[in-house]
Structure formats: C-alpha cells, structure tokens
Amino acid sequence: MKDVPTSGLYLFKSCLVSTEYPGVESSLRFIFDRLGIDYISDPRQSCCSGLGYYFDVFDHLSTVAVAARNLGLAEELGYRNIVTLCATCYAINKNSLHSLHENPELASQVSGILDKIGLSYPDKMDKNNIFHEVDILAALKNKIASMVEIDFSGLRIASHHACHYTKVFREDALTDPNRPYLIDSIAKSTGAVPVEYAEKTMTCGAGFRQRHCNKDLSLSLTLEKLRSLKTAGTEVLLHMCPNCQIQFDRYQPVIERLTGEQFGIYHLQIPQLIALSMGADPYTVVGIQTHSVPIEPLLKRFGIKVKA
Amino acid sequence: MIKKSVLNASWDGKFAEEILEDPQAPKGLLKCNQCGTCTANCPAARFTSYNPARLVRDVLAGAREKVLSSADIWQCFYCYTCHANCPRGNSPTELVRILRLKALAQGHAKEEVARFLAFGECFAEFGIGGMPSDIVESHANEFGHRWVKMRLHIDDLREVLGLQAMGLPENAQKQLKSLLHHTGFMERLQRLSSDSEICQSRGMR
C-alpha cells in the first residue's frame, strides 16, 4: 500500500474541472481547509495536455515536456505531492515521470529544453509523487466522518471509477480495476449506501475522440451503463474525473431525449458529495449551478437550502 | 473456398521490431499468445469491428499497410482495460497510440485529428486546451441554454466559487509557448493541419 501524504499538496488544476465543473475544485479546497490540509494552487501551472495527447494531436515529447515544466514548478515551491482532480491528469503526469525515469535520452532532451527557457527540471520527482484526490480523501475518511453535518443515510449511491486512475497504473491504484470500491468506501463516511451494478468497470464512453467523431458508439456505452445503474436502483452516480462526469451529467438528458427512457440519476464528483455533507453551500462552494442534471431535488430531500 | 489469409497482403517482417524501437512500445508485445483477454473485455470490440487481439496478431504478422490504413485503430477508447488485464504485459491500447501516430506520420488519416488541432492551438496560446468551434456549437445544441449560459459566465462563476482566473500569467505563458516550439509541437500542428480535410463526422450532426 502506498504512503499517502496529507501535507505539501500541489493542487493540480484540470481544464475540464475549470471550465465545466469548477465546483469540484472549490469543494476539494473546502474539505482541505476544514481539515487543515496544507496545499497550494499555482497560477503558472498549465493544463496537462492529456486531452490533446489522447486526441492524438500531442506527441509524446511535448506532453512529457509540459509535465516536466509543471512538476518542476511544484518542486521549486517545495510542494512535491501532486494531487489531481482528473484521472487523465493523474495518468499523464505519472506516465511522463515514468518515461523520464526509464529513458535517460528523453530526460536529457527535456532537461535541455527546460534549461533553455530558464526552468528547472524536476530532479526529485518520481511517479510515486503523483496522487489523485481519491487517494487523499480515502486517507482522510475517518476525519471526514467525524465532521459530517448532513447525514446522507439511506441515499443509494453508485461509483464510476475512472479508467485512467484504475487501469493505467493498476499497481498504484488503491482499488482493483475489476472490482473497484474506493469511491464507495469514501462516500460511506457520509452515511450513503453503495450499490453494485453490472457495468461498473466499463469505461464511461467518452473515449476522447469517440464522443466527437463516433457519437453513436460513444453514447451506446453510456446508455448501457445508465440502464445497468437504473436496474440497481442508483440515485446518485459518484465520479472522480470531469470527463466521465460530462459524459453522464451532460449526456444523460441527451440520451433520455434520444431513447425516450428516463434515468433521473444525479451526478456528483466525490469531493462535491463530501463537501455537501460537511455543510458546504451548494452554490458558492459545490457549484451545482454548472450541472446539466439539477441537483436541487436531491438536496431538498436532505433539508439543504436551495434556490427555488 | 480457401480464404485469403492476412499474410497474403503485403507484409513487412520487421514491422513489430520497428514498433519496439519506440520507447513507448508495450514491453510484452512479442509475448502475446492470443488468449483474447483484451478482446473479451474491450468496450470497442463489444460495439464495433475493432478487435485488439487480432490487431496484435496482424502487427506480429507484419501486416503493416493493413494495420496503418485500418479504420479500426481509430475505434479504441484509450480506456486501458486491455492494458490492465493482459496476462503477458502487452498493451493493445498503447500499441494503438503508436500505430495512430505512425499512420499520421505517413500521411494516413489526417482527417481523424483535423478537428482536434484547435485544442493544441488553444493550449499553446492560453496554457489550457479548448474545443474547436464546431464542437462547441454542437454542444450548445445538445446541452441547451443552461450550458451555454454557464459557459458564457464561467469567469464570474469561478469568482463566486473563490477560484483563480483561468489562463497563465503572461510570463509563464510565454515560457510554455517557447517550450512547445522547442519540442517541435508547433511544427507538428502545422504539418497535421496542412491539406487535411475536416473530419467526416460519423454519427454526428
């Protein structure tokens, strides 16, 4: 089992969280602030380039160099434990460090490039310095349980464990990609009740280019998952990656229109559920106003004040 | 009737070796014993003609042209389910990534990435990727008014949430762009955009 740090955290901003579900980042910050976790946000950090990498636009060297620049900035600040809010940011940073360590030629090329533009190479970083928010939240779950203000007892939640966390570096994930339970175990600290469903391990359907170039294929997968979630009686699907969250929250209404089937499942990223249970404001912290599936009916049920 | 085998196509006995020269190549490529675990678990194989085990077999058989010109390599989701479960340390999904880049380098399939070049251009300008206007337009149609309004007011929303402005400070942005010049990325964008057609979207409005 890997050591999970709860200080010196470099909160690694995600392009899709920033532009689609910014409430995920503010929820995580809320939780960290409440628990007294030492973290930093760096305006100089660029997006990881992962979407571009998996759109096949970014070459390997460019993506690794982008990662090395960001990781160099983190190292220089002394905040060496990278915490991502997106599974692809996690895999891209980890894979880049892996490449730099395995391939001395690549390392000296990247180090040369950073040198030319006046930046430092992340000498002390290795792939074990890269974490996902779920690693940290899992380590904090007992503390979280003791700070719950809104008890979600009886709420039937299911989890969608992002592929780029469970499957790219299987040995470093805190859960089995074929029987994932990490998000569920964190959510239980709020009283919520995990349910299992048949298609739990299947990818969300985004598939990077597939969402845009093979829409029927992409949505066919999502539909299979939604049907399986509905059969299991899921009320909330919990996510750990904004790309998966888009695929479900934004496309569930689209799929409902296309098929005439109703799913009515709420979608939250795990820090959003935790923040809500710790008393965070739905609009100024959790950012539910950016969601496509309105969260208000769920919150009303648990006595949380919402706008009409 | 005798069926045509894959080897009847022009083949290249050095194809697998050439792939293994790429440091990103999966270490277990040559160890594949066609057990089919990858295909059994592959979401693309469940819904399309893409078959990762057959792809690996074709690569090992040296069917270079068949593989590089195949539409099937563009069906992979990069979900890494094959990668996580291969008992021989192979990774069809990482093989697909190498094959797609090879296909692009040889001038195949430029239309498959054309619409995503805007992501790279936006990244180089702002340090954060963006979607091309045709995708944004299609999202506006699919996701409706609520989403459009949210995206138009994203900066205000972020302020309400107490978050930093998006985009890098000027100096950091300059450094990032310079880095992308040094890695050859800006040149790559040029190369990929020249004489490529707009993606003939399949199943998309």
Side-chain angles (χ1 to χ4, degrees):
Chain A
M1 189 82 128
K2 63 183 173 190
D3 284 333
V4 176
T6 49
S7 68
L9 308 183
Y10 187 91
L11 206 56
F12 195 94
K13 295 188 297 285
S14 135
C15 62
L16 291 179
V17 164
S18 294
T19 56
E20 295 280 341
Y21 302 105
V24 170
E25 185 179 339
S26 38
S27 292
L28 192 62
R29 295 171 70 109
F30 174 89
I31 299 165
F32 285 175
D33 289 343
R34 279 287 174 96
L35 298 179
I37 303 290
D38 168 40
Y39 67 93
I40 202 166
S41 231
D42 183 356
R44 300 168 303 166
Q45 178 229 312
S46 78
C47 141
C48 77
S49 84
L51 287 183
Y53 186 87
Y54 290 114
F55 286 150
D56 305 299
V57 169
F58 270 75
D59 57 291
H60 191 65
L61 171 65
S62 299
T63 287
V64 171
V66 165
R69 175 186 169 274
N70 285 328
L71 301 174
L73 296 174
E75 187 171 294
E76 173 199 295
L77 290 170
Y79 281 73
R80 224 191 289 160
N81 298 310
I82 309 297
V83 180
T84 69
L85 295 77
C86 162
T88 296
C89 294
Y90 170 86
I92 285 282
N93 281 314
K94 240 172 140 66
N95 196 42
S96 297
L97 278 169
H98 205 79
S99 292
L100 290 170
H101 284 257
E102 299 251 299
N103 186 345
E105 239 171 84
L106 179 70
S108 83
Q109 194 181 1
V110 168
S111 163
I113 291 171
L114 290 177
D115 200 45
K116 266 186 216 155
I117 57 174
L119 289 171
S120 59
Y121 180 84
D123 275 320
K124 296 183 192 70
M125 289 269 195
D126 67 42
K127 77 179 172 81
N128 298 321
N129 281 108
I130 311 296
F131 300 90
H132 187 282
E133 68 191 15
V134 293
D135 294 322
I136 316 293
L137 292 175
L140 298 172
K141 66 184 176 194
N142 292 336
K143 265 194 184 170
I144 290 169
S146 72
M147 295 180 78
V148 163
E149 290 176 18
I150 310 281
D151 184 350
F152 285 119
S153 285
L155 180 64
R156 293 170 65 84
I157 58 98
S159 61
H160 173 70
H161 286 77
C163 295
H164 283 190
Y165 174 79
T166 58
K167 297 170 185 170
V168 181
F169 290 95
R170 178 178 182 160
E171 69 281 9
D172 294 332
L174 294 180
T175 194
D176 179 345
N178 296 322
R179 296 188 65 80
Y181 197 69
L182 190 61
I183 294 175
D184 308 67
S185 73
I186 300 167
K188 271 170 74 176
S189 60
T190 70
V193 185
V195 299
E196 293 295 330
Y197 62 107
E199 301 289 358
K200 192 175 187 183
T201 61
M202 187 164 70
T203 190
C204 63
F208 302 92
R209 66 191 316 281
Q210 309 308 354
R211 175 190 287 156
H212 308 292
C213 290
N214 284 315
K215 182 143 293 185
D216 289 348
L217 169 64
S218 166
L219 295 187
S220 298
L221 264 72
T222 315
L223 173 60
E224 285 294 297
K225 289 205 64 137
L226 284 171
R227 282 179 176 157
S228 152
L229 285 158
K230 190 181 176 185
T231 303
T234 308
E235 294 177 286
V236 182
L237 183 63
L238 295 174
H239 298 275
M240 56 182 282
C241 174
N243 211 3
C244 308
Q245 193 167 353
I246 290 173
Q247 190 70 10
F248 283 93
D249 172 60
R250 302 264 182 252
Y251 282 100
Q252 179 175 295
V254 174
I255 291 173
E256 286 178 335
R257 277 201 307 277
L258 286 171
T259 61
E261 292 175 48
Q262 294 302 308
F263 298 102
I265 297 169
Y266 303 106
H267 299 282
L268 291 170
Q269 193 164 321
I270 182 68
Q272 295 180 292
L273 180 83
I274 302 293
L276 283 167
S277 80
M278 289 170 71
D281 184 89
Y283 303 99
T284 60
V285 176
V286 184
I288 61 168
Q289 62 274 44
T290 76
H291 290 226
S292 286
V293 177
I295 307 294
E296 279 84 352
L298 170 72
L299 301 186
K300 270 191 208 159
R301 239 174 74 195
F302 287 91
I304 300 173
K305 243 194 225 152
V306 293
K307 292 175 188 164
Chain B
M1 191 170 123
I2 296 171
K3 294 219 169 119
K4 238 179 144 178
S5 104
V6 48
L7 293 174
N8 285 8
S10 64
W11 72 287
D12 172 354
K14 299 240 185 279
F15 191 38
E17 272 175 50
E18 177 192 317
I19 286 168
L20 284 167
E21 280 168 18
D22 187 326
Q24 289 305 106
K27 304 274 179 290
L29 177 62
L30 300 178
K31 292 187 189 147
C32 172
N33 62 357
Q34 289 291 303
C35 70
T37 302
C38 50
T39 301
N41 290 289
C42 173
R46 188 163 151 186
F47 291 94
T48 75
S49 56
Y50 171 65
N51 179 330
R54 196 167 60 211
L55 176 72
V56 173
R57 189 193 64 188
D58 285 352
V59 165
L60 296 180
R64 169 197 286 275
E65 284 316 307
K66 177 187 174 191
V67 163
L68 292 184
S69 62
S70 138
D72 280 351
I73 59 172
W74 298 93
Q75 311 266 28
C76 168
F77 283 78
Y78 284 140
C79 78
Y80 283 73
T81 309
C82 56
H83 172 101
N85 288 299
C86 177
R88 311 285 283 182
N90 191 16
S91 174
T93 196
E94 290 192 333
L95 176 64
V96 162
R97 159 87 186 166
I98 290 171
L99 294 172
R100 286 185 185 177
L101 263 64
K102 232 179 229 311
L104 288 170
Q106 296 187 4
H108 290 293
K110 275 188 174 175
E111 69 282 2
E112 302 286 1
V113 297
R115 68 188 313 180
F116 301 117
L117 298 178
F119 179 93
E121 288 155 10
C122 183
F123 185 92
E125 285 312 314
F126 304 107
I128 180 166
M131 287 297 166
S133 53
D134 68 312
I135 289 180
V136 174
E137 210 175 290
S138 122
H139 283 176
N141 289 328
E142 294 174 314
F143 304 155
H145 179 65
R146 187 178 159 104
W147 182 80
V148 174
K149 206 174 111 199
M150 184 277 285
R151 289 301 294 262
L152 283 174
H153 297 287
I154 188 69
D155 292 329
D156 302 335
L157 271 166
R158 292 178 57 82
E159 213 179 308
V160 167
L161 296 167
L163 297 171
Q164 289 172 353
M166 289 187 287
L168 275 51
E170 205 183 320
N171 194 34
Q173 184 54 47
K174 267 191 201 149
Q175 276 178 329
L176 180 66
K177 195 159 185 184
S178 168
L179 175 141
L180 294 173
H181 275 290
H182 287 299
T183 64
F185 181 69
M186 302 313 289
E187 221 173 280
R188 176 179 169 76
L189 275 184
Q190 279 291 321
R191 212 166 45 240
L192 286 172
S193 65
S194 63
D195 63 63
S196 65
E197 295 155 36
I198 296 302
C199 178
Q200 293 301 310
S201 50
R202 294 190 290 264
M204 184 155 171
R205 121 181 65 207

Coordinates of all heavy atoms in Angstrom, one line a residue, chain A residues 45-107:
Chain A
Q45 N 0.8 26.9 -13.4 CA 0.6 25.5 -13.9 C -0.3 25.5 -15.1 O -1.3 26.1 -15.1 CB -0.1 24.7 -12.7 CG -0.3 23.2 -13.2 CD -1.8 22.8 -12.8 OE1 -2.2 23.0 -11.7 NE2 -2.5 22.2 -13.8
S46 N 0.2 24.8 -16.1 CA -0.7 24.7 -17.3 C -1.5 23.4 -17.3 O -1.3 22.6 -16.4 CB 0.2 24.6 -18.6 OG 0.8 23.3 -18.7
C47 N -2.4 23.3 -18.1 CA -3.2 22.1 -18.3 C -2.2 21.0 -18.7 O -1.2 21.2 -19.2 CB -4.3 22.4 -19.2 SG -4.8 21.2 -20.5
C48 N -2.6 19.7 -18.4 CA -1.6 18.6 -18.5 C -1.4 18.2 -20.0 O -0.5 17.5 -20.3 CB -2.1 17.4 -17.7 SG -3.4 16.4 -18.5
S49 N -2.3 18.7 -20.9 CA -2.3 18.3 -22.3 C -2.9 17.0 -22.6 O -2.9 16.5 -23.8 CB -0.9 18.5 -23.0 OG -0.1 17.3 -22.8
G50 N -3.4 16.3 -21.6 CA -3.9 14.9 -21.8 C -5.0 14.7 -22.8 O -4.9 13.8 -23.6
L51 N -5.9 15.7 -22.9 CA -6.9 15.5 -23.9 C -6.3 15.6 -25.3 O -6.6 14.8 -26.2 CB -8.0 16.6 -23.8 CG -9.0 16.6 -22.6 CD1 -10.0 17.7 -22.8 CD2 -9.7 15.3 -22.6
G52 N -5.3 16.5 -25.4 CA -4.6 16.6 -26.7 C -3.8 15.4 -27.0 O -3.7 14.9 -28.2
Y53 N -3.3 14.8 -26.0 CA -2.5 13.5 -26.2 C -3.4 12.4 -26.7 O -3.1 11.7 -27.6 CB -1.9 13.2 -24.8 CG -0.9 12.0 -24.8 CD1 0.4 12.2 -25.1 CD2 -1.4 10.7 -24.6 CE1 1.3 11.1 -25.1 CE2 -0.5 9.6 -24.5 CZ 0.8 9.8 -24.8 OH 1.7 8.7 -24.8
Y54 N -4.6 12.3 -26.0 CA -5.5 11.2 -26.4 C -6.4 11.6 -27.6 O -7.1 10.7 -28.1 CB -6.3 10.7 -25.2 CG -5.4 10.0 -24.2 CD1 -5.1 10.5 -23.0 CD2 -4.8 8.8 -24.6 CE1 -4.3 9.8 -22.1 CE2 -3.9 8.1 -23.8 CZ -3.7 8.6 -22.5 OH -2.8 7.9 -21.6
F55 N -6.3 12.8 -28.1 CA -6.9 13.2 -29.4 C -5.9 12.9 -30.5 O -6.1 13.1 -31.6 CB -7.2 14.7 -29.5 CG -8.5 15.1 -28.7 CD1 -8.5 16.4 -28.2 CD2 -9.5 14.3 -28.5 CE1 -9.6 16.9 -27.5 CE2 -10.7 14.7 -27.8 CZ -10.7 16.0 -27.3
D56 N -4.7 12.4 -30.1 CA -3.6 12.1 -31.0 C -3.0 13.3 -31.6 O -2.3 13.2 -32.7 CB -4.0 11.1 -32.0 CG -4.6 9.8 -31.4 OD1 -3.8 9.2 -30.6 OD2 -5.8 9.5 -31.6
V57 N -3.2 14.5 -31.0 CA -2.6 15.7 -31.5 C -1.2 15.9 -30.9 O -0.3 16.3 -31.6 CB -3.5 16.9 -31.2 CG1 -2.8 18.2 -31.5 CG2 -4.8 16.8 -32.1
F58 N -1.1 15.7 -29.6 CA 0.2 15.9 -28.9 C 1.1 14.6 -29.1 O 0.6 13.5 -28.9 CB 0.0 16.1 -27.4 CG -0.2 17.5 -27.0 CD1 -1.4 18.2 -27.3 CD2 0.8 18.2 -26.4 CE1 -1.6 19.5 -27.0 CE2 0.7 19.6 -26.1 CZ -0.5 20.2 -26.4
D59 N 2.3 14.9 -29.4 CA 3.3 13.8 -29.5 C 3.8 13.6 -28.0 O 3.6 14.4 -27.1 CB 4.5 14.3 -30.4 CG 5.1 15.6 -29.9 OD1 4.4 16.6 -30.0 OD2 6.2 15.6 -29.4
H60 N 4.5 12.5 -27.9 CA 5.0 12.1 -26.5 C 6.0 13.1 -25.9 O 5.8 13.5 -24.8 CB 5.7 10.7 -26.6 CG 5.9 10.1 -25.3 ND1 4.9 9.8 -24.4 CD2 7.1 9.8 -24.6 CE1 5.4 9.3 -23.3 NE2 6.7 9.3 -23.4
L61 N 6.9 13.6 -26.7 CA 7.9 14.5 -26.2 C 7.2 15.8 -25.6 O 7.6 16.3 -24.5 CB 9.0 14.9 -27.2 CG 9.9 16.0 -26.9 CD1 10.8 15.7 -25.7 CD2 10.8 16.5 -28.1
S62 N 6.3 16.3 -26.4 CA 5.6 17.6 -26.0 C 4.9 17.4 -24.7 O 4.9 18.2 -23.8 CB 4.7 18.1 -27.1 OG 5.4 18.4 -28.3
T63 N 4.1 16.3 -24.6 CA 3.4 16.1 -23.4 C 4.3 15.9 -22.2 O 4.0 16.4 -21.1 CB 2.4 14.9 -23.6 OG1 1.3 15.3 -24.4 CG2 1.8 14.4 -22.2
V64 N 5.4 15.1 -22.4 CA 6.3 14.9 -21.3 C 7.0 16.2 -20.9 O 7.1 16.5 -19.7 CB 7.4 13.8 -21.7 CG1 8.5 13.8 -20.6 CG2 6.7 12.5 -21.8
A65 N 7.3 17.1 -21.8 CA 7.9 18.3 -21.5 C 7.0 19.3 -20.8 O 7.4 20.0 -19.8 CB 8.4 19.0 -22.8
V66 N 5.7 19.2 -21.2 CA 4.7 20.0 -20.4 C 4.6 19.6 -19.0 O 4.6 20.4 -18.0 CB 3.3 19.9 -21.1 CG1 2.2 20.4 -20.2 CG2 3.3 20.7 -22.5
A67 N 4.6 18.2 -18.8 CA 4.5 17.7 -17.5 C 5.7 18.1 -16.7 O 5.6 18.5 -15.5 CB 4.4 16.1 -17.5
A68 N 6.9 18.0 -17.3 CA 8.2 18.3 -16.6 C 8.2 19.7 -16.1 O 8.6 20.1 -15.0 CB 9.4 18.0 -17.5
R69 N 7.6 20.6 -17.0 CA 7.6 22.0 -16.6 C 6.7 22.2 -15.4 O 7.1 22.8 -14.4 CB 7.0 22.9 -17.8 CG 6.8 24.3 -17.4 CD 6.1 25.1 -18.5 NE 5.7 26.4 -18.0 CZ 4.6 26.7 -17.3 NH1 3.7 25.7 -17.1 NH2 4.3 27.8 -16.8
N70 N 5.5 21.6 -15.4 CA 4.6 21.8 -14.2 C 5.2 21.2 -13.0 O 5.1 21.7 -11.9 CB 3.3 21.1 -14.5 CG 2.4 21.9 -15.5 OD1 2.5 23.2 -15.5 ND2 1.6 21.3 -16.3
L71 N 5.8 20.0 -13.1 CA 6.3 19.3 -12.0 C 7.6 20.0 -11.4 O 7.8 20.1 -10.2 CB 6.7 17.8 -12.3 CG 5.4 17.0 -12.8 CD1 5.8 15.7 -13.3 CD2 4.4 17.0 -11.7
G72 N 8.3 20.7 -12.3 CA 9.4 21.5 -11.9 C 9.0 22.7 -11.1 O 9.6 23.0 -10.1
L73 N 7.9 23.3 -11.5 CA 7.3 24.4 -10.7 C 6.9 23.9 -9.3 O 7.2 24.6 -8.3 CB 6.1 25.0 -11.4 CG 6.3 25.6 -12.8 CD1 5.0 26.0 -13.4 CD2 7.3 26.8 -12.7
A74 N 6.3 22.8 -9.2 CA 5.8 22.2 -7.9 C 7.0 21.9 -7.0 O 7.1 22.3 -5.8 CB 5.0 21.0 -8.1
E75 N 8.1 21.4 -7.6 CA 9.3 21.0 -6.9 C 9.9 22.3 -6.3 O 10.3 22.3 -5.1 CB 10.2 20.2 -7.7 CG 11.4 19.7 -6.9 CD 12.3 18.7 -7.8 OE1 11.7 17.6 -8.1 OE2 13.4 19.1 -8.1
E76 N 10.0 23.3 -7.2 CA 10.6 24.5 -6.8 C 9.9 25.2 -5.6 O 10.5 25.8 -4.7 CB 10.6 25.4 -8.0 CG 11.1 26.9 -7.9 CD 10.5 27.6 -9.1 OE1 11.0 27.3 -10.2 OE2 9.7 28.5 -8.9
L77 N 8.6 25.0 -5.5 CA 7.8 25.6 -4.4 C 7.9 24.8 -3.2 O 7.4 25.2 -2.1 CB 6.3 25.7 -4.8 CG 5.9 26.8 -5.9 CD1 4.5 26.6 -6.3 CD2 6.2 28.2 -5.3
G78 N 8.4 23.6 -3.3 CA 8.5 22.7 -2.2 C 7.2 21.9 -1.9 O 7.0 21.4 -0.8
Y79 N 6.3 22.0 -2.9 CA 5.0 21.3 -2.8 C 5.1 20.1 -3.8 O 4.5 20.2 -4.9 CB 3.8 22.2 -3.0 CG 3.5 23.0 -1.8 CD1 4.3 24.1 -1.5 CD2 2.4 22.7 -1.0 CE1 4.0 24.8 -0.3 CE2 2.1 23.5 0.1 CZ 2.9 24.5 0.4 OH 2.7 25.3 1.6
R80 N 5.7 19.0 -3.3 CA 6.1 18.0 -4.3 C 5.0 16.9 -4.5 O 5.1 16.0 -5.3 CB 7.4 17.3 -3.8 CG 8.4 17.1 -4.9 CD 9.5 16.3 -4.5 NE 10.4 17.0 -3.5 CZ 11.2 16.3 -2.7 NH1 11.3 15.0 -2.7 NH2 12.0 17.0 -1.9
N81 N 3.9 17.0 -3.7 CA 2.9 15.9 -3.8 C 1.8 16.4 -4.7 O 1.0 17.2 -4.3 CB 2.4 15.5 -2.4 CG 3.5 14.9 -1.6 OD1 4.2 14.0 -2.1 ND2 3.7 15.4 -0.4
I82 N 1.8 16.0 -5.9 CA 0.8 16.4 -6.9 C -0.5 15.7 -6.6 O -0.6 14.5 -6.4 CB 1.2 16.1 -8.3 CG1 2.7 16.5 -8.6 CG2 0.3 16.6 -9.4 CD1 2.9 18.0 -8.5
V83 N -1.6 16.6 -6.5 CA -2.9 16.0 -6.3 C -3.8 16.4 -7.5 O -4.1 17.6 -7.7 CB -3.6 16.4 -5.0 CG1 -5.0 15.8 -4.9 CG2 -2.7 16.0 -3.9
T84 N -4.3 15.5 -8.3 CA -5.1 15.8 -9.5 C -6.5 15.6 -9.2 O -6.9 14.9 -8.3 CB -4.7 14.9 -10.7 OG1 -5.1 13.6 -10.4 CG2 -3.2 14.9 -10.9
L85 N -7.4 16.4 -9.9 CA -8.8 16.3 -9.8 C -9.4 15.5 -11.0 O -10.6 15.4 -11.1 CB -9.5 17.7 -9.8 CG -9.1 18.6 -8.6 CD1 -7.7 19.2 -8.7 CD2 -10.1 19.6 -8.4
C86 N -8.5 15.0 -11.8 CA -9.0 14.4 -13.1 C -8.1 13.1 -13.3 O -6.9 13.2 -13.0 CB -8.8 15.4 -14.2 SG -8.8 14.6 -15.9
A87 N -8.7 12.0 -13.7 CA -7.9 10.8 -13.8 C -6.9 10.9 -15.0 O -5.8 10.3 -14.9 CB -8.9 9.6 -14.1
T88 N -7.2 11.7 -16.0 CA -6.2 11.8 -17.1 C -5.1 12.6 -16.7 O -3.9 12.3 -17.0 CB -6.9 12.3 -18.4 OG1 -7.9 11.2 -18.8 CG2 -6.0 12.4 -19.5
C89 N -5.3 13.7 -15.9 CA -4.1 14.5 -15.4 C -3.2 13.5 -14.6 O -2.0 13.6 -14.6 CB -4.6 15.6 -14.4 SG -5.5 16.9 -15.2
Y90 N -3.8 12.6 -13.8 CA -3.1 11.7 -13.0 C -2.3 10.8 -13.9 O -1.0 10.6 -13.7 CB -4.1 10.9 -12.2 CG -3.6 9.6 -11.4 CD1 -3.1 9.8 -10.1 CD2 -3.7 8.4 -12.0 CE1 -2.6 8.6 -9.4 CE2 -3.3 7.2 -11.3 CZ -2.8 7.4 -10.0 OH -2.3 6.3 -9.3
A91 N -2.9 10.1 -14.9 CA -2.2 9.2 -15.7 C -1.1 9.9 -16.5 O 0.0 9.3 -16.7 CB -3.1 8.5 -16.6
I92 N -1.4 11.1 -17.0 CA -0.4 11.8 -17.9 C 0.8 12.2 -17.1 O 2.0 12.0 -17.5 CB -1.1 13.0 -18.5 CG1 -2.0 12.6 -19.6 CG2 -0.1 14.0 -19.0 CD1 -1.4 12.2 -21.0
N93 N 0.6 12.7 -15.9 CA 1.8 13.1 -15.1 C 2.6 11.9 -14.7 O 3.8 11.9 -14.7 CB 1.3 13.9 -13.9 CG 1.0 15.3 -14.2 OD1 1.8 16.0 -14.9 ND2 -0.1 15.8 -13.7
K94 N 1.9 10.8 -14.3 CA 2.6 9.6 -13.8 C 3.4 9.0 -15.0 O 4.5 8.6 -14.9 CB 1.5 8.6 -13.4 CG 1.7 8.2 -11.9 CD 0.5 7.4 -11.5 CE 0.9 6.2 -10.6 NZ 1.4 6.6 -9.3
N95 N 2.7 8.9 -16.1 CA 3.3 8.3 -17.3 C 4.5 9.1 -17.8 O 5.6 8.6 -18.2 CB 2.3 8.2 -18.4 CG 2.8 7.2 -19.5 OD1 3.3 6.2 -19.2 ND2 2.6 7.6 -20.7
S96 N 4.4 10.4 -17.7 CA 5.5 11.3 -18.1 C 6.7 11.1 -17.2 O 7.9 10.9 -17.7 CB 5.1 12.8 -18.0 OG 4.1 13.0 -18.9
L97 N 6.5 11.0 -15.9 CA 7.6 10.8 -14.9 C 8.2 9.4 -15.2 O 9.4 9.2 -15.1 CB 7.1 10.9 -13.5 CG 7.1 12.4 -13.0 CD1 6.3 12.4 -11.7 CD2 8.5 12.9 -12.9
H98 N 7.3 8.4 -15.4 CA 7.8 7.1 -15.7 C 8.7 7.1 -16.9 O 9.8 6.5 -16.9 CB 6.5 6.2 -16.1 CG 6.7 4.8 -15.8 ND1 6.6 4.2 -14.6 CD2 7.0 3.8 -16.7 CE1 6.8 2.9 -14.6 NE2 7.0 2.6 -15.9
S99 N 8.3 7.8 -18.0 CA 9.2 7.9 -19.2 C 10.5 8.5 -18.9 O 11.5 8.1 -19.4 CB 8.4 8.7 -20.3 OG 7.3 8.0 -20.8
L100 N 10.4 9.6 -18.1 CA 11.7 10.3 -17.8 C 12.7 9.5 -17.1 O 13.9 9.5 -17.3 CB 11.4 11.6 -17.1 CG 10.7 12.7 -17.9 CD1 10.2 13.9 -17.0 CD2 11.6 13.3 -19.0
H101 N 12.1 8.6 -16.2 CA 13.0 7.8 -15.4 C 13.5 6.6 -16.2 O 14.6 6.1 -15.9 CB 12.3 7.3 -14.1 CG 12.2 8.4 -13.1 ND1 13.1 8.5 -12.0 CD2 11.5 9.6 -13.0 CE1 12.8 9.6 -11.3 NE2 11.9 10.2 -11.9
E102 N 12.7 6.1 -17.1 CA 13.1 4.9 -17.8 C 14.0 5.2 -19.0 O 14.7 4.3 -19.5 CB 11.8 4.3 -18.4 CG 10.8 3.8 -17.4 CD 10.7 2.3 -17.3 OE1 10.4 1.7 -18.3 OE2 11.0 1.8 -16.2
N103 N 13.9 6.5 -19.5 CA 14.6 6.8 -20.7 C 15.5 8.0 -20.6 O 15.1 9.2 -20.7 CB 13.4 7.1 -21.7 CG 13.9 7.4 -23.1 OD1 15.1 7.6 -23.4 ND2 13.0 7.3 -24.1
P104 N 16.8 7.7 -20.2 CA 17.7 8.8 -20.0 C 17.9 9.8 -21.1 O 18.1 11.0 -20.9 CB 19.1 8.1 -19.7 CG 18.7 6.7 -19.5 CD 17.4 6.4 -20.2
E105 N 17.8 9.3 -22.4 CA 17.9 10.2 -23.5 C 16.8 11.2 -23.5 O 17.0 12.4 -23.8 CB 17.7 9.3 -24.8 CG 18.9 9.4 -25.7 CD 18.7 8.3 -26.8 OE1 18.0 8.6 -27.8 OE2 19.3 7.2 -26.6
L106 N 15.6 10.7 -23.3 CA 14.4 11.6 -23.2 C 14.6 12.6 -22.1 O 14.3 13.8 -22.2 CB 13.1 10.8 -23.0 CG 11.8 11.6 -22.9 CD1 11.4 12.2 -24.2 CD2 10.7 10.7 -22.4
A107 N 15.1 12.1 -20.9 CA 15.3 13.0 -19.8 C 16.2 14.1 -20.1 O 16.0 15.3 -19.7 CB 15.7 12.2 -18.6

